[in-house]
Amino acid sequence: MPEQRHSRSIYPGSVYQSGVPELVLASIRQPGDEICSDVYIRDGVVAAIIPSQQRPTSGGREAARVVDLDGRYVIPGLWDEHVHMTQWALASNRIDLAGANSAREAAAVVGSHLAGAGAPDAAGSGAHAALGAAPTLVGVGFRDVVWPDLPSLDLLDGATQGRPTALLSHDLHCVWLNSAAAERYGVSVDRSGLLREEPAFELTRELGRLPDTLVDPWVQKAGKAAAGRGVVGIVDFEMTWNRDEWLRRIAGGFDALRIEAGVYPQDLDRAVAEGMRTGLPVDGGGGLLTVGPLKVLIDGSLNTRTAHCVDPYPDGSHGLLTVSAPELLALLVRARQAGFVPAVHAIGDAANRVALDAFEAAGIGGRVEHAQFVRNEDFARFGRLGVTASVQPAHALDDRDAAEANWAGRTDRSFPLRSLVAAGAKLALGSDAPVARLDPWTAMSAATARARQDGRGPWHAEQALTRREALTASTRGSGRLRVGDHADIAVLDGDPLTVSDADFAAMPVAATLVAGRFTHGGA
Ligand SMILES: [Zn+2]
């Protein structure tokens, strides 16, 4: 981190008048600015932004702490608007098999973790850890459909030295076990070592049943990693009574991010009885925890062909509407009365229409989560009704083949970021971690380039956002730091408006602050 100087006299009198700023970020640039400025932070808020040339060289007041940022770029801290944080923490503590091009390679990756190249204990899982037995090694993300060889019990046994090991396929419909894991979980497998469908789901659930004492440190680590990417806050849609999980974690030292903890309809009565409503700070949350939106799922997903669509899938189905239109309307009316902002999960174009109809009839704004497929006549309704489109741009690239196969001839309105913005909708970017990485630069890069660095070329480039639009949709404001804002700030080692697409996707973040406190860098 840049040098830090104490007791330097730099405050212009006007800044000093209302109290001593606790921190000055000196010599920063906001993207697009020609000149450097100094950011004065007091009580966790941006108190002043003043051109560095106007900094008095002598005769000013004493400084609390000055960090010289040497012309680095500064943006408001980033938000990931859609996260499942416990699931993400679990996934990030499992061995990543996405890069394995064969069964043999996957076994070798696991073997090298055991040999100490990775962190086998952190990858472990199961209550056995608490009991002192070696935890089960868990790997995720393998794609056996493209492997030239077959997984086998022998192959995995040979790589794992008797350590119980379970590997989950990327779509979670298949688990590859070794003999020790089959014994530990009391399941029988043939020579392939594979479980599929329901037995695979069952074991996957079992692997996720872990003590808080194990998972909370992983969540803390995942929070720090997010801060390392410039993230200052997340909207957490973990499907539990989420508030108390976060109160426990914050009491245990979690302080890397602001958390907006979502509520599900099954908990709405309890939430209302306890006086909760969206946006309300939670007592005991250290200023970091607020009540999030009311999350309502009304359809499924593209990959399972359960997203509810106007036109049929190739098999003739239209997906599922899991909450009827009258039920949804009743929920939104209830949300309005109770002060909850609804966040309605709608992926298919028919589900998006149902969601917008309900927002309109209930007379309430809110958010649609995903909005992956939208009828042309519905784009403008987002803006008109005050419904934010909470979108996950990385999914567009993950699902481009699935979209071409299932929404053939109409993918021009799938993952329609530009169409939404052009029609006046407000966008909020997120990852849906663990579905995509909790890294806003991955999301923003997918939104702006509509391509990965994999040589495949852009997909529906006409739906891309500009860099400025992506930053604005990830920072809950104007995309620029302003006086009076929370001092939630990301300090970048590159200019986000001009670096290459590859550098933008991998943007180095020098420091992150929440309410003027360093959560990354700054040591
Ligand atoms: Zn989600």
Side-chain angles (χ1 to χ4, degrees), residues 338-362:
F340 272 89
V341 171
V344 179
H345 163 121
I347 288 182
D349 55 356
N352 274 278
R353 178 185 60 197
V354 168
L356 292 165
D357 287 349
F359 278 110
E360 187 154 25

Side-chain angles (χ1 to χ4, degrees), residues 32 39 42 57 59 68 73 101 117 121-122 136 203 214 234 237 268-269 289 307 314 339 367 380 405-406 413 418 489:
V39 178
R42 184 169 47 239
T57 50
D68 190 338
Y73 289 88
N101 293 312
D121 286 340
T136 303
L203 185 66
L214 197 62
I234 60 170
F237 286 120
L268 184 56
D269 286 339
L289 182 60
R367 315 166 30 134
N406 289 294
R413 53 189 177 85
R418 169 57 51 204
I489 296 170

Side-chain angles (χ1 to χ4, degrees), residues 301-395:
S301 71
L302 165 59
N303 280 287
T304 53
R305 296 184 191 84
T306 47
H308 184 42
C309 296
V310 174
D311 301 305
Y313 289 96
D315 68 3
S317 68
H318 289 261
L320 299 172
L321 189 67
T322 55
V323 172
S324 72
E327 285 171 323
L328 180 61
L329 176 57
L331 260 172
L332 298 202
V333 168
R334 179 99 204 281
R336 191 192 65 211
Q337 289 160 349
F340 272 89
V341 171
V344 179
H345 163 121
I347 288 182
D349 55 356
N352 274 278
R353 178 185 60 197
V354 168
L356 292 165
D357 287 349
F359 278 110
E360 187 154 25
I364 184 177
R367 315 166 30 134
V368 166
E369 302 302 315
H370 310 306
Q372 287 182 5
F373 193 35
V374 177
R375 300 183 314 160
N376 284 321
E377 54 268 51
D378 284 337
F379 288 123
R381 299 176 73 199
F382 281 86
R384 186 155 50 76
L385 299 173
V387 175
T388 296
S390 167
V391 294
Q392 300 77 37
H395 296 356

Side-chain angles (χ1 to χ4, degrees), residues 403-487:
E404 293 290 0
N406 289 294
W407 297 335
R410 46 203 199 278
T411 53
D412 56 327
R413 53 189 177 85
S414 69
F415 305 93
L417 306 183
R418 169 57 51 204
S419 299
L420 284 162
V421 169
K426 190 174 163 205
L427 295 187
L429 266 49
S431 64
D432 204 6
V435 182
R437 306 177 47 73
L438 202 178
D439 183 342
W441 300 99
T442 301
M444 290 191 289
S445 144
T448 52
R450 298 284 289 201
R452 295 239 162 81
Q453 315 299 316
D454 59 5
R456 214 179 152 190
W459 186 57
H460 284 297
E462 75 280 4
Q463 288 292 351
L465 299 182
T466 66
R467 297 260 179 98
R468 269 197 198 282
E469 287 167 338
L471 285 165
T472 301
S474 302
T475 54
R476 297 195 151 184
S478 64
R480 279 179 73 82
L481 207 58
R482 290 167 310 186
V483 173
D485 288 349
H486 282 301

Side-chain angles (χ1 to χ4, degrees), residues 93 113 134 138 142 175 192 261 267 304 311 350 364 409 439 487 515:
N93 281 280
H113 269 258
V138 182
F142 74 79
V175 181
S192 73
D267 294 319
T304 53
D311 301 305
I364 184 177
D439 183 342

Side-chain angles (χ1 to χ4, degrees), residues 103-264:
R104 195 157 295 282
E105 256 184 61
V109 169
V110 175
S112 69
H113 269 258
L114 267 174
D121 286 340
S125 163
H128 305 88
L131 300 173
T136 303
L137 276 187
V138 182
V140 288
F142 74 79
R143 292 173 180 264
D144 57 328
V145 282
V146 298
W147 286 349
D149 55 348
L150 294 173
S152 76
L153 201 60
D154 284 349
L155 180 57
L156 197 53
D157 281 349
T160 49
Q161 305 158 31
R163 174 80 170 266
T165 302
L167 310 181
L168 316 182
S169 67
H170 80 286
D171 65 0
L172 303 177
H173 284 250
C174 176
V175 181
W176 180 13
L177 299 175
N178 69 354
S179 301
E183 193 189 325
R184 172 170 282 178
Y185 298 102
V187 296
S188 55
V189 286
D190 61 18
R191 304 304 305 165
S192 73
L194 299 180
L195 296 177
R196 291 191 189 277
E197 299 307 322
E198 197 43 46
F201 300 149
E202 174 105 3
L203 185 66
T204 300
R205 281 193 291 269
E206 175 67 27
L207 293 167
R209 271 192 273 276
L210 301 175
D212 298 335
T213 49
L214 197 62
V215 177
D216 284 355
W218 295 353
V219 171
Q220 192 147 347
K221 201 170 97 185
K224 279 199 163 62
R229 301 303 295 138
V231 178
V232 296
I234 60 170
V235 179
D236 187 25
F237 286 120
E238 197 65 49
M239 212 177 280
T240 60
W241 179 248
N242 212 0
R243 181 194 67 183
D244 294 355
E245 304 270 321
W246 283 107
L247 282 172
R248 184 189 67 242
R249 288 169 184 160
I250 289 168
F254 182 100
D255 65 358
L257 305 172
R258 297 184 190 276
I259 307 292
E260 292 185 359
V263 172
Y264 280 81

